[in-house]
Amino acid sequence: KGVSDSTIYIGSKVKGSISIQVRGSGSVVYIGDKCNLNALEIRSFQDNDVVVIGNNVSTTGTVRLVSGNGSGNARPMIVIGDDCMFSYGITIRNSDAHPIVSVKDRKQLNEPVSSVIIEPHVWVAQDVSILKNVSIGACSIVALGSVVTASCPRFSILSGVPAVARSCNSGM
C-alpha cells in the first residue's frame, strides 16, 4: 500500500520458504541463484532500500533481515555474500528500530552510519544477532548465541555478548 517502483528479484533454482515485506518506494530486494532459504523473512522499511543475498546462500530455519526500521535519514543496506550459511533464530538489523531523538535540536542520535555487510563464506550459528554498522569478513564463523556489535576482519571467529573476534587465519 503506497509503495511504488520497488523490485524483487529471485534468482534461478531458489528453494525454501521466503516472506518479503517492502514498505518503502524505490527499493530493491535481490536473491541470487541456487539458494536454499528455509523460513527467511525480509522486512524492508525504508525508501530506496537495498537488501542483497548472494548465490548459494542457505538458511536452516528462521532468519530475519530487518532493514531501515527507524533509520532516520540514513539509507543502510544489508548485503550477504555468496556461499554463506545461516542456522536458525538469527536476526540481522541495520538500524535500532527505535529512533532516539535529541530534545535540544530534534536530531536523531542513533542513525546508522554504515550498512551491514556479510562477506562470502561466512557461517552464522544458531540464535545470533548481527546489529547495525557491522561488517563481517569473509571465511568467518559467528558462534552460537553471539551478539555482533562491531566489525571483524576476514578469517575471524566471533563469540560472546557482545561478540569478540579472534583470528582463525590458518593460511587458507
Side-chain angles (χ1 to χ4, degrees), residues 46-151:
Q46 64 187 356
D47 289 338
N48 303 308
D49 196 13
V50 176
V51 176
V52 175
I53 298 172
N55 299 318
N56 300 304
V57 171
S58 63
T59 63
T60 60
T62 303
V63 173
R64 234 174 244 109
L65 309 180
V66 182
S67 184
N69 192 11
S71 62
N73 293 318
R75 291 293 173 258
M77 300 182 291
I78 295 176
V79 178
I80 297 171
D82 294 341
D83 300 306
C84 289
M85 297 184 302
F86 296 87
S87 184
Y88 60 90
I90 297 166
T91 300
I92 300 171
R93 322 178 64 91
N94 63 9
S95 64
D96 290 335
H98 51 80
I100 298 172
V101 179
S102 167
V103 175
K104 185 173 107 180
D105 60 10
R106 306 300 302 158
K107 290 186 180 179
Q108 185 172 336
L109 301 174
N110 64 335
E111 281 187 359
V113 295
S114 64
S115 298
V116 172
I117 309 290
I118 301 174
E119 292 184 359
H121 308 287
V122 171
W123 175 29
V124 179
Q126 174 184 340
D127 296 326
V128 166
S129 294
I130 300 171
L131 305 181
K132 70 179 185 180
N133 307 325
V134 166
S135 179
I136 299 176
C139 304
S140 293
I141 299 168
V142 183
L144 176 93
S146 297
V147 177
V148 183
T149 61
S151 296

